[in-house]
Amino acid sequence: MNRVFSGVQPTGNIHLGNYLGALRQFVELQNDNDCFYCIVDEHAITVPQDPKELKKSILDVAALYLAIGLDPKKSTVFVQSQVPGHAELGWILNCVSVTGELYRMTQFKSKSKGQESVGTGLLTYPVLMAADILLYDTNIVPVGNDQKQHIELTRDLAIRVNHKYGEKTFVVPEGRFMKSAARVMALDDPTQKMSKSAQNVHSRISLLDDDNKIKKSIMKATTDSDGEVRYDVENKPGVSNLLSIMSALTDRPIEQLEKDYEGHGYGDFKKDLVAITIDALRPIKENFNEIRYSQDLIDALTAGAERANEISLATLKRVRDAFGMGI
Ligand code: AQP
């Protein structure tokens, strides 16, 4: 059975980008794989967070994990900071990585752009992500396209360590990317990816948005002036983004949708997308409301951390021994 690992930052409510690009795969994978799904709060603090908001977000994301269909009996669901091995392996890998490769990460470049001073954690974040993955002898990492470069770094670090300290030190993982909607763009600016922390709330649809908010955000979404519902990322990035969202939510190919909307304006297309999105998110919101304040959620996270600790300690022992650390 393959081991699967992925995580989400508790930096706000999960949005359609996170869901369509990554989380839908989590659910599919749990039936045939040994899956570890983490709420990566140590990553969240690479930029300042309000402590009360962070605590709330951790449980919100955990409840959303279960609300979209993750079953704690099949998947190990846990919070990163409850497993100290992430930080320890992160440190060890910091000593293996070089600063040049970290400065090259596009996410670091975009998050540090225009900042007078940048936290060290923002630079070393991809190394911690590598530790998260390697700690569980992961084979498959289901993530959105924006994480491709970080997965490559993880593989490079694993191969580097194996080369120097023994080929069996780490399992070298593979990324798994969705074919459709692997990169959902912001509704207000389709040249940027949809993001939890963007200022404009209408740039994204969060899974917990109410129906009015969904309607407003989609009806306001940036399109173009030619009025044709056609997929052309270069010349019609806004419409193309909405088409990929509709295609991912309905499992209908984009070419089919283009045919369906031939001769219709953007108004009809957007109205249908509003209805489709509201229908898709309704059961998730209902599940969330049932789970969020339940003891079952805490029990699932406690059991998840226990199992994650057990597996991570075995990896750490192997790595410490390979490096000649400890007594
Ligand atoms: N726009 C996106 N389209 C497709 N996939 C996406 N992911 C994120 N944005 C998109 C994927 O969602 C998973 C969880 O992401 P994350 O929470 O770890 O961090 P992120 O990539 O930094 O996401 P955000 O929403 O943009 O958060 P902030 O604003 O806090 O930085 C990952 O698998 C990611 O690929």
Side-chain angles (χ1 to χ4, degrees):
M1 206 186 237
N2 274 326
R3 180 71 53 75
V4 170
F5 176 93
S6 197
V8 171
Q9 298 189 65
T11 42
N13 278 329
I14 292 175
H15 52 69
L16 267 187
N18 302 133
Y19 179 59
L20 299 176
L23 275 87
R24 270 190 322 165
Q25 307 188 66
F26 294 8
V27 182
E28 273 167 48
L29 287 164
Q30 71 177 345
N31 294 321
D32 305 310
N33 299 279
D34 184 15
C35 296
F36 283 69
Y37 296 124
C38 189
I39 295 122
V40 288
D41 53 349
E42 289 169 359
H43 288 278
I45 62 165
T46 52
V47 293
Q49 300 292 339
D50 174 75
K52 272 200 194 120
E53 274 300 309
L54 181 60
K55 270 243 186 296
K56 175 182 171 295
S57 266
I58 289 170
L59 292 176
D60 284 349
V61 171
L64 275 170
Y65 268 174
L66 304 196
I68 61 164
L70 289 184
D71 175 354
K73 288 195 194 81
K74 293 182 183 166
S75 296
T76 302
V77 177
F78 66 103
V79 179
Q80 185 184 29
S81 62
Q82 295 203 292
V83 182
H86 289 257
E88 183 179 340
L89 189 58
W91 174 255
I92 294 173
L93 292 177
N94 265 330
C95 300
V96 173
S97 62
V98 293
T99 50
E101 62 193 340
L102 303 184
Y103 282 117
R104 276 199 296 277
M105 295 289 128
T106 51
Q107 207 168 80
F108 172 73
K109 286 188 197 159
S110 71
K111 288 203 172 176
S112 59
K113 201 171 165 187
Q115 308 278 351
E116 214 167 273
S117 97
V118 175
T120 313
L122 201 58
L123 178 68
T124 57
Y125 160 113
V127 179
L128 181 60
M129 178 170 159
D132 301 338
I133 296 166
L134 299 178
L135 197 53
Y136 298 99
D137 292 338
T138 302
N139 308 103
I140 301 168
V141 192
V143 277
N145 262 354
D146 60 319
Q147 296 296 331
K148 260 191 178 151
Q149 207 184 16
H150 292 163
I151 301 292
E152 265 321 300
L153 178 78
T154 303
R155 289 171 52 82
D156 287 349
L157 292 176
I159 291 167
R160 196 175 302 165
V161 168
N162 286 356
H163 196 60
K164 189 154 183 204
Y165 298 98
E167 289 303 326
K168 293 218 161 90
T169 313
F170 287 128
V171 170
V172 181
E174 302 272 350
R176 187 180 192 266
F177 308 96
M178 294 300 282
K179 286 197 186 69
S180 66
R183 189 176 176 82
V184 177
M185 307 311 279
L187 299 178
D188 61 336
D189 177 1
T191 62
Q192 302 297 316
K193 75 163 190 155
M194 188 177 281
S195 172
K196 291 188 217 92
S197 47
Q199 286 276 316
N200 181 4
V201 292
H202 293 295
S203 67
R204 60 184 168 265
I205 307 277
S206 292
L207 300 194
L208 298 177
D209 278 349
D210 65 39
D211 296 356
N212 267 334
K213 157 70 177 55
I214 295 172
K215 183 171 175 196
K216 219 170 174 182
S217 300
I218 293 177
M219 295 314 283
K220 276 164 88 93
T222 301
T223 49
D224 51 60
S225 53
D226 85 2
E228 227 183 296
V229 182
R230 188 166 45 82
Y231 191 82
D232 175 352
V233 176
E234 209 167 295
N235 300 307
K236 297 167 68 68
V239 175
S240 303
N241 188 39
L242 298 180
L243 270 169
S244 357
I245 293 174
M246 187 184 269
S247 165
L249 287 175
T250 57
D251 276 329
R252 276 154 67 202
I254 286 179
E255 304 77 61
Q256 180 63 53
L257 296 174
E258 286 175 328
K259 277 193 197 125
D260 292 350
Y261 288 99
E262 233 170 55
H264 291 258
Y266 294 151
D268 286 351
F269 170 59
K270 282 182 165 181
K271 266 189 218 146
D272 287 353
L273 183 58
V274 169
I276 289 164
T277 309
I278 288 176
D279 279 352
L281 299 192
R282 186 177 301 116
I284 296 177
K285 281 188 278 190
E286 284 169 7
N287 292 343
F288 175 87
N289 290 333
E290 221 170 89
I291 295 160
R292 172 61 174 87
Y293 295 98
S294 71
Q295 185 58 35
D296 286 355
L297 180 64
I298 305 300
D299 291 348
L301 293 174
T302 308
E306 217 168 278
R307 172 144 198 264
N309 266 307
E310 199 181 300
I311 308 277
S312 67
L313 284 174
T315 310
L316 276 173
K317 179 172 182 336
R318 195 175 69 228
V319 175
R320 287 190 206 115
D321 284 348
F323 277 69
M325 296 164 75
I327 51 172

